[in-house]
Each structure stands twice: as C-alpha cells, then as structure tokens.
Amino acid sequence: MSQAATITRANERQEAESKTLFGFWVYLMTDCVLFASLFATFAVLRGNTFGGPTGDQLFSLPFVLIETLVLLTSSYTAGLGLLAARRRAKTQVLVFFGLTMLLGIFFLTMELTEFHKLYVEGDSWRRSGFLSAFFTLVGTHGLHITSGLIWMAVMLYKVAKGGLNHVNVKRLTMLSMFWHFLDIIWIFIFTIVYLVGVAG
Amino acid sequence: MLGRLSWHALPHDTVTRGGAASMVLAALLIFGYLLYTKRLGWLWREWLTSLDPKKIGVMYIVVAVVMLLRGAADAALMRTQQATNAHFLSANHFQQIFSAHGTIMIFFVAMGLMFGLINLIMPLQIGARDVAFPFLNSAAFWLFAAGMLLVNLSLIIGEFSAAGWLAYPPLSEIAYSPGVGVDYWIWALQIAGVGSLLSGINFLVTILRMRRPGMTLMKMPLFSWSVLCSMVLVIFAFPILTATLGMLALDRTLGMHFFTAGGGGNAMMYVNLIWAWGHPEVYILILPAFGVFSEVVATFSRKPIFGYTSMVWALIAITFLSYTVWLHHFFTMGAGADVNAFFGIMTMVIAIPTGVKIFNWLFTMYRGRIKFATPMLWFLGFVVTFSVGGMAGVMMAVPAIDFQVHNSLFLVAHFHTMIVGGVVFGFFAGLTYWFPKIFGFTLNERLGRYAFWCWFVGFLTAFIPLYILGLMGATRRLNNYDPSLGWQGLFIVAAIGAAIIFAGIGFQILQLGYSIWKRNENRVSGDPWNGRTLEWSTTSPPPSYNFAALTPVDSRDAFWELKKTKQAEKPAYEDIQLPKNSGVGIFIALFAFIFGFGAVWHIWWLLPIGLVGVISCIVGRASQGGTEYRLSAKKVAAMEAEA
C-alpha cells in the first residue's frame, strides 16, 4: 500500500470516529431530555403523597451521600481509565475500568437496598404518585447504570482479549462519556430528589 | 404461562373477522408468490438486509403505502357509519377504529413516508455516499416495522385501544381500559418511537458531518434544511414520548400512580407531556413537506427559490416556536386566562414564518417559466388547503373561540386539512418528483393528474362539511347521533368526498402499475425535470455509492450552475468504502417485537427473552469484524463507464 493510501485510510478512520462520537453526544442529549421529562414529572408529583410518607420521612441523607461519593469516585476512575487508554496502557485500563465497575456495582447494590427497604416497609411505587415518580426516576437512572455495567463488562473482555485497538479506544471513550453523563444526572437526583426532599 | 392470551382473543364480530382474514390472506399470498417464484432469498439478500439508504427508503414507503390502505379502510368504515347513522359498528368497535385510524395514519403512514423520502433523497442531495450510521438506519427501519406489525396484530389477536390516538388517562388507565388494546398502542408506539429517535440522531449527524465539500449550511438545498430542522425536533421531542408511554405502561402493569384518577396521580400531566411531544411531532411531519415544495416550486418554475435566507430562518423559527404552543391543544383544561393567552399568542406567531414560506413559494413562481407537472399540481392544491386549514388554526388559537369548537368536528376538519392537505400532499409531490431518481423511469402524468384532482376535490368535499358540522355542534368521535339534529345530509356529503379520495388512491395504484408496465417508454437518464440540486447530478437510479467522485461545490443550486458552465472534466476515481448487508437489525426488531408482545399479554417469560435477544444482537454486531467492503477505483471507473 502506498503512503498516500495509508494516509487516506487513516483520515477516513478519524473522520468516522469523530462522526460516531458526535452521534453519541447527540444520543446523550436525547437521554437528557428523557430524564428532564422524568424530573418534571417528579416535580409535579412530589407533593402527591396521598396520605403516604413524604421524602423527609423516607430518605436517609448519610446513606445517599455515601452512594453519591461512590458514584463520583467511579467517575474519577473511569476518567483515569480513559487517560490510560489514550496512552495505550492496557493493564491500567483493565485496573481502572475494573475498579469503576466494582464501584458501579456497589452503587447499584446500595440503590437496590434502599428500594428493597422501602418496598418491605410498605412504601412501594403503588403507594402514591410521589413514590411512583421517585421509583421511576431513580430506577431509570439505575437501569442506565446497569446497562453501563454490562457495556463495561463487554469492554473489559474485549480489551483483555483484543488489546487497545482503535475501535476499543473509541468505545471506551463513549463508555466514559456515558458514565460521566450518568454521574451528572445523579447529581441532579441527589439535589432535587433527596436534598430538596429532606429539606422540604 | 400465556398471561392474558387465550382462544377468546380471536376476533368475534364479522367486520373484524373480515379485516383480519383479508390481512392474513394477503400476507400468505405474497409469501406464497415469493416462495413459488423462488424470490425469498433474493428478497432477503437484496432488500431486507440491505444497509443502502435508497433501499431502506423504498421499504419505508412500501410499509407506509400499505398502512395508508389500512388507515383508509378504517376511514371508510367510519364515514359509512356516520353517513348512514346505522349501527353496524358497535360503540366500542367504532372507538377502536378511530384510535387505530389516527395512530396508523400519523405513526406508520406520515412518519413512514417522511423517513422514506429522507432516506431516498437527503444523502443524495447533500452529495454524500451514505448516511452516518448505515446499520443504525436499518435497525431503525425494522423497529418501525415491528411497531407496525404490533398495531396490525391487534386486529387478529385481541383488540386495539379504544382511547383515541393519544390515549388520554384516566380512560386509558387499567381501571377503565382493562383489555390489551391500550397496551398494544403503548408498545407499538414505544418500539416504533425508539426507531424514529435513532433515525433522528442518524440523519442529524449525516447532515452536519457528511455534506459535500464546499456545501456550507447556507448553500444546502432547502429539503435538506427542512430535514435538519425536523430531526432536531425528533431529537428533542421523541424522548418525551418514550418517557410518557413508559409511565403509562408502568401505571397499567405495575400499579403506579402517575396519571390515575386516585392514588395521587395527575392525568393533566399526561396531557401536557404527550402534547409537549405531540405538537413538535406535527412540525416534524410538515417541515420536510415544506422542504419538498421548496424543491418542486424552484424546479418547475425554473428559478432559484425566492428568499432562500428567509426560508431557512423561517424553518428555524418554526423549529423553536413549535415548543411554545403545546398548550393550545387543551385550552379548556383550565390553566387560566393568562396562560391561555400566552399560548394563544404564540400559536398565532407561528403563522408568521409559515406565511413567509407560502409567500416565498408564490414569489418564486412569479415570472417563472412554470411547468404544471403533477408535483406542481400537488403544490398548488396544498396552497389552497393549507391556507384554509391555517386560517382555521389561527381562529382556534383564540382561546375564547377554542372553547366553542374544542373537541368538535371543526377541529377534526382543521387538523386533517393540515395533515392531508399539507403533509400528505407534500409527500405525494415529493414521491412523484423523485420517483424517476430512484427507479429510473417517470410516473404516468395523466393518471397522476387524475389522482390529484380526485384527492383535491374529494378532500374539500369530505372536510368542508366537517367544518360546518363542527360549528353546528357535532362533537368528534360520535358513532351515532340523533337524526333530529339534521346532520345526516352533511355526513353523506362527507362520505361522498371520502369516496372521491378513494378513487384518487385507486388512480395512484393504477398509475404505479401502468408506469411500471410502460417503464421502458419512460426511461430517464439522470435529470428528467431539469433539476437544480446535487441528487440529479448522478445517474437515475444512482449506483450503490451514489457519486463516483465527490467534486466540491460552491453555490446553492450546485447542479444548475454546473449545467450552465458545462464543465465536464474527467473525475479522478478513488476507492470507496461501503457497508456490507446485515440481518442483525431485523433480529433486534424481532426481539423487540417479542418483548412488546409479552408486555401486551402479560406473558412475563417473553420479556427476558426479548431483552437478552436485543442485547446479544447489539453486542454481537459490535464484535463483528469486516462489516464494510472496498470498491476499488478501477471497479468504480468500470461501473461509471457502463452507466
């Protein structure tokens, strides 16, 4: 292959990669609108407790603060993982994203613990409009975290097997964009659902 | 094991049985024909698994046309029932029919025609070889098809929603609609809606990233501009639909209280959310139709479009304003005078950029050398109907008037004038105009004219009476009415109008058949209409790679300028990278369909199957190597020499 052809192909690949990343940004914005709809719904239904418990009776701020810190840390390790991927440091990528995954699983476990506790105490999503909105908003975030974890597991396997080729680095970039996005959504959940919920 | 599904789900009454039987029979006949002529493999290889946007576009249009017939059949039933004021449809059945009619016409006809046209033309028009994400495009089409299948399956197994095309709660809640109808509606739209959202992302990235070198945004043809604006709306509107349908589904299946009458739910929130999607949706459909007219009028007036810049800004203004008017769909809900006044004024404001567009088209025609080809007839018809409908719209934008005509046939007449006289006429103009581009031969003009006149006259005959009936107090969605009201005469006129429209559809089918039969007499080279934009600069039908060379452009009507200067330099061919076919999109949609079917019938074990299936398909596709192939420069040169 001539040098010119090699350059053309490299350009084509770069072009395609930037297109994919841009497309992924647009997807994240659509997801943002989805969450915005759920936030708006939550804001409307927040007071509709229908005689059931309110937010400040249900939420434990220290618990949620730990959840938040766990997720924020996972975002940090995901960032370190991506930097390592850019340096093509395979072991570090595996370590950092592995760590991110563990923190993600820990976060999800905490969230499910909270859900379970509410459920067994009779404060399930059937109880009131407020709780329906709460479970749906926080649960949708949890579902996103779950799909992020599945994606991360697939990526860890792929990197371990195939190394840090262009495709894998591109996908790790998108994965960490996704993960940071979920982090930002969580900040809003922490503020609007929990802090405002407890503060009244 | 089978949830709510049992033998009782099969249709009971004659009308439904007839419809279901004819649908199954038609499907079996087509399948048998393909099997007999040994074309199944060909269909799979050449069409179903294709990632070529031109082929995906044709498939969209085929689905949309079949669904148009289904929706028209629903309309025929309703018109007959109201004209005769007989009782051959029960109230419940009548409700299912108007719900299905609205759902099918908007989601599977109008959206299908729109995405079909975009797939066919937009990449060509911006001088690109493909869309940004060809596989996503195929998956989006198949999700659309899966949603379509689910709606039609409800005719054979179970029932359809009887809660109107937007399924307002609390009527659509499990307490008042305990059957599977609303669930069919939810999951069909949810699956098709995800497809639309993916398409929106795909086409937005295509337009922003893949235009021909030199084609700045302000040099981009207006159809592509309209698609860009429409896709921005898709991106911001469809997630709201996904969330809203999701919440209604949670209410119905998990006993949540988002929109229920009790339990702290708020039904008015649903109405707000669904219209925060629904109003932009109207503009998602009409903007590409505006784009078609901009191309048609310029081409057949042999003039550059009048006021290009103002056309672009009008599109952008409509895009923004379309998010500020949703409340005019429910002035009567009681938001208060101030809120109603705000939304009333915004609704009137949106008529200004629309008026700018109408006048620009008319000024384009002024002193043009106009050729009255069929697409131009659709345009002229559109100017009449759209202006009538638009004026009715501005009238209803006054909340005080809206209180009088809310939920009346006046409203029904208004939005049909906009959707049929605007969107559908626009897409018919586009299909006639670009048909030779895709298939290499023109449609018969005489039969096309007959079809247009039937549609146009039939449309006015069918809907002017509804305006009058609405003012007389006839509410929408009436299965029967008291004969002493004196409405029957007008309903009969409306039914006659509908019959004339059906004659128009008949002429269109005839036109298609006749044109295919006589195709060798109507072959065209690249450019049958003396076109102005890049899609006409390649052969018709275009090769799989669209353009052999991506020559830079430097003006708005790039092909027109090229023809004027007549510079025919020999292009330097290069290797072209193209996507290989893939059937994975079909399987993603199949598993989504399984998921939807399980959710409708509460067959819970189908849900994990569907979910795991979709995920494995995505992971599998992502792990696939060599999804593209390279066409060498030599091969391209040979193919070009042949063409």
Side-chain angles (χ1 to χ4, degrees):
Chain A
M1 205 191 302
S2 74
Q3 202 183 355
T6 321
I7 292 171
T8 323
R9 285 202 184 190
N11 281 344
E12 272 175 18
R13 200 193 58 228
Q14 243 175 13
E15 184 72 28
E17 267 178 28
S18 95
K19 227 164 41 191
T20 313
L21 291 183
F22 177 57
F24 197 72
W25 269 110
V26 180
Y27 153 71
L28 288 182
M29 290 309 101
T30 66
D31 227 5
C32 206
V33 177
L34 182 98
F35 275 109
S37 313
L38 295 177
F39 273 113
T41 306
F42 179 82
V44 171
L45 295 184
R46 212 169 68 86
N48 295 14
T49 50
F50 202 61
T54 56
D56 63 333
Q57 291 166 326
L58 294 178
F59 305 145
S60 144
L61 271 192
F63 185 84
V64 185
L65 184 67
I66 296 171
E67 249 186 303
T68 307
L69 290 177
V70 168
L71 196 64
L72 284 180
T73 316
S74 82
S75 217
Y76 178 63
T77 52
L80 290 179
L82 187 63
L83 286 177
R86 297 252 165 88
R87 289 195 308 269
R88 301 289 191 271
K90 183 173 158 183
T91 326
Q92 287 184 35
V93 168
L94 293 176
V95 169
F96 283 126
F97 276 105
L99 215 55
T100 312
M101 210 174 137
L102 284 179
L103 288 165
I105 292 171
F106 191 66
F107 169 86
L108 204 61
T109 318
M110 286 187 80
E111 189 171 301
L112 289 176
T113 312
E114 190 195 17
F115 280 9
H116 183 251
K117 183 171 151 286
L118 290 175
Y119 186 85
V120 293
E121 286 172 4
D123 303 320
S124 80
W125 51 84
R126 292 167 196 267
R127 184 65 191 83
S128 67
F130 156 66
L131 279 166
S132 303
F134 166 79
F135 274 101
T136 305
L137 173 56
V138 180
T140 305
H141 180 267
L143 273 181
H144 277 73
I145 291 281
T146 312
S147 40
L149 288 173
I150 295 173
W151 190 2
M152 220 174 282
V154 173
M155 284 317 298
L156 283 176
Y157 172 76
K158 278 188 190 296
V159 171
K161 219 181 86 184
L164 289 163
N165 52 33
H166 291 291
V167 180
N168 282 346
V169 173
K170 180 185 78 184
R171 286 183 183 156
L172 284 175
T173 312
M174 291 196 285
L175 176 58
S176 36
M177 275 158 70
F178 186 65
W179 203 254
H180 295 316
F181 166 75
L182 291 182
D183 209 30
I184 294 167
I185 296 291
W186 180 259
I187 297 294
F188 279 96
I189 291 181
F190 181 59
T191 314
I192 293 172
V193 176
Y194 291 103
L195 283 183
V196 177
V198 171
Chain B
M1 183 68 181
L2 286 178
R4 298 193 268 179
L5 189 57
S6 73
W7 287 113
H8 296 289
L10 290 172
H12 297 296
D13 64 290
T14 5
V15 180
T16 319
R17 269 193 193 144
S22 53
M23 228 162 57
V24 173
L25 197 69
L28 282 177
L29 273 178
I30 293 170
F31 185 77
Y33 172 78
L34 290 169
L35 199 66
Y36 181 71
T37 53
K38 298 195 171 67
R39 291 231 176 111
L40 278 177
W42 163 84
L43 190 72
W44 177 262
R45 280 188 309 275
E46 291 293 314
W47 287 93
L48 305 187
T49 59
S50 175
L51 298 194
D52 183 343
K54 295 180 288 297
K55 290 189 171 167
I56 292 177
V58 171
M59 291 195 287
Y60 264 113
I61 286 169
V62 168
V63 172
V65 167
V66 173
M67 284 301 101
L68 176 71
L69 298 178
R70 161 84 208 267
D74 289 336
L77 286 171
M78 289 187 287
R79 281 281 138 265
T80 317
Q81 167 107 348
Q82 287 187 326
T84 54
N85 202 11
H87 292 82
F88 70 93
L89 300 173
S90 67
N92 176 272
H93 194 186
F94 190 82
Q95 286 159 2
Q96 286 187 40
I97 289 176
F98 67 65
S99 306
H101 172 79
T103 306
I104 287 174
M105 286 301 201
I106 293 288
F107 285 92
F108 300 106
V109 180
M111 290 294 273
L113 289 177
M114 179 188 82
F115 279 126
L117 270 181
I118 294 175
N119 263 300
L120 291 177
I121 299 307
M122 186 274 287
L124 282 163
Q125 196 170 49
I126 62 170
R129 284 189 176 133
D130 205 339
V131 294
F133 311 114
F135 174 72
L136 202 64
N137 199 17
S138 154
F141 166 73
W142 285 107
L143 288 171
F144 164 83
M148 180 275 293
L149 213 59
L150 214 48
V151 165
N152 286 290
L153 193 66
S154 73
L155 193 67
I156 305 168
I157 308 172
E159 54 174 2
F160 194 64
S161 166
W165 80 284
L166 283 184
Y168 280 9
L171 175 60
S172 56
E173 291 287 355
I174 198 87
Y176 307 102
S177 300
V180 291
V182 178
D183 298 297
Y184 265 121
W185 180 84
I186 290 175
W187 290 102
L189 297 201
Q190 194 69 296
I191 293 170
V194 170
S196 303
L197 186 58
L198 295 177
S199 296
I201 297 173
N202 196 354
F203 293 133
L204 181 94
V205 177
T206 307
I207 292 178
L208 290 182
R209 282 299 174 86
M210 295 178 73
R211 294 188 312 279
R212 184 70 68 82
M215 187 187 277
T216 57
L217 279 176
M218 286 314 270
K219 283 179 186 156
M220 187 162 74
L222 281 172
F223 175 68
S224 298
W225 252 111
S226 71
V227 174
L228 175 61
C229 291
S230 170
M231 293 305 115
V232 169
L233 288 176
V234 166
I235 284 164
F236 283 101
F238 268 78
I240 309 177
L241 178 72
T242 308
T244 313
L245 292 174
M247 287 188 266
L248 186 61
L250 288 170
D251 269 5
R252 288 180 59 87
T253 41
L254 293 186
M256 289 201 183
H257 293 288
F258 282 108
F259 316 119
T260 49
N266 186 342
M268 292 194 285
M269 193 172 58
Y270 179 91
V271 180
N272 268 293
L273 283 170
I274 202 80
W275 283 113
W277 158 80
H279 197 84
E281 164 70 10
V282 180
Y283 288 92
I284 288 168
L285 296 175
I286 195 70
L287 290 182
F290 286 170
V292 170
F293 287 134
S294 296
E295 305 299 338
V296 163
V297 172
T299 303
F300 292 104
S301 304
R302 295 256 225 133
K303 270 176 69 188
I305 193 87
F306 183 91
Y308 173 92
T309 315
S310 64
M311 284 302 237
V312 170
W313 283 106
L315 282 172
I316 296 173
I318 295 173
T319 305
F320 277 101
L321 289 174
S322 68
Y323 278 99
T324 60
V325 298
W326 81 89
L327 194 126
H328 70 211
H329 295 272
F330 44 93
F331 280 141
T332 54
M333 203 165 80
D338 295 340
V339 175
N340 280 358
F342 172 80
F343 282 95
I345 291 167
M346 293 318 284
T347 308
M348 292 179 212
V349 168
I350 211 166
I352 296 172
T354 318
V356 167
K357 299 194 77 71
I358 299 264
F359 281 116
N360 278 343
W361 289 318
L362 295 181
F363 287 139
T364 307
M365 288 173 68
Y366 180 64
R367 294 202 163 168
R369 267 197 252 161
I370 303 170
K371 189 170 170 243
F372 287 100
T374 330
M376 202 60 184
L377 292 181
W378 288 113
F379 166 73
L380 292 169
F382 152 85
V383 172
V384 175
T385 50
F386 203 73
S387 303
V388 170
M391 281 185 282
V394 174
M395 240 177 91
M396 281 192 294
V398 181
I401 298 180
D402 182 77
F403 270 65
Q404 298 303 313
V405 292
H406 181 79
N407 257 353
S408 73
L409 285 179
F410 188 87
L411 167 83
V412 172
H414 160 71
F415 73 69
H416 278 87
T417 320
M418 305 317 261
I419 301 285
V420 181
V423 176
V424 176
F425 280 18
F427 292 159
F428 284 161
L431 286 178
T432 324
Y433 177 58
W434 281 309
F435 189 89
K437 179 76 251 161
I438 300 309
F439 295 102
F441 58 94
T442 50
L443 286 170
N444 184 286
E445 279 282 300
R446 177 185 293 272
L447 288 167
R449 275 200 300 278
Y450 292 169
F452 164 75
W453 284 111
C454 284
W455 265 93
F456 184 64
V457 173
F459 176 79
L460 293 177
T461 319
F463 287 95
I464 297 292
L466 297 198
Y467 280 111
I468 303 169
L469 279 166
L471 291 177
M472 288 164 72
T475 48
R476 68 197 292 200
R477 296 169 175 167
L478 284 178
N479 53 313
N480 290 106
Y481 47 90
D482 194 316
S484 67
L485 288 163
W487 293 344
Q488 193 165 20
L490 284 167
F491 274 124
I492 291 174
V493 176
I496 293 170
I500 303 176
I501 294 179
F502 296 139
I505 296 178
F507 276 123
Q508 284 173 310
I509 295 171
L510 207 61
Q511 179 196 28
L512 184 66
Y514 185 79
S515 308
I516 292 173
W517 183 43
K518 295 277 183 193
R519 62 186 178 278
N520 287 325
E521 295 168 23
N522 300 314
R523 290 268 178 217
V524 295
S525 55
D527 181 22
W529 311 114
N530 204 356
R532 314 180 67 84
T533 39
L534 276 184
E535 75 268 25
W536 300 109
S537 69
T538 183
T539 51
S540 304
S544 56
Y545 46 81
N546 289 359
F547 302 97
L550 300 180
T551 326
V553 297
D554 57 1
S555 61
R556 261 174 210 159
D557 291 332
F559 183 51
W560 185 260
E561 296 299 323
L562 193 78
K563 279 191 286 193
K564 265 201 327 212
T565 50
K566 289 216 165 67
Q567 42 174 291
E569 56 188 88
K570 192 149 169 53
Y573 295 121
E574 53 184 3
D575 290 2
I576 296 174
Q577 192 102 354
L578 286 169
K580 283 183 198 162
N581 285 2
S582 165
V584 181
I586 300 178
F587 288 107
I588 290 179
L590 180 72
F591 284 115
F593 178 84
I594 290 173
F595 184 93
F597 188 78
V600 168
W601 287 99
H602 295 181
I603 310 173
W604 303 123
W605 53 271
L606 279 180
L607 269 50
I609 294 180
L611 209 58
V612 171
V614 170
I615 294 173
S616 338
C617 283
I618 295 171
V619 173
R621 168 71 190 180
S623 314
Q624 241 173 13
T627 53
E628 295 188 326
Y629 67 97
R630 244 182 141 71
L631 219 53
S632 72
K634 224 188 265 167
K635 186 89 190 288
V636 174
M639 281 169 83
E640 285 295 303
E642 218 174 280

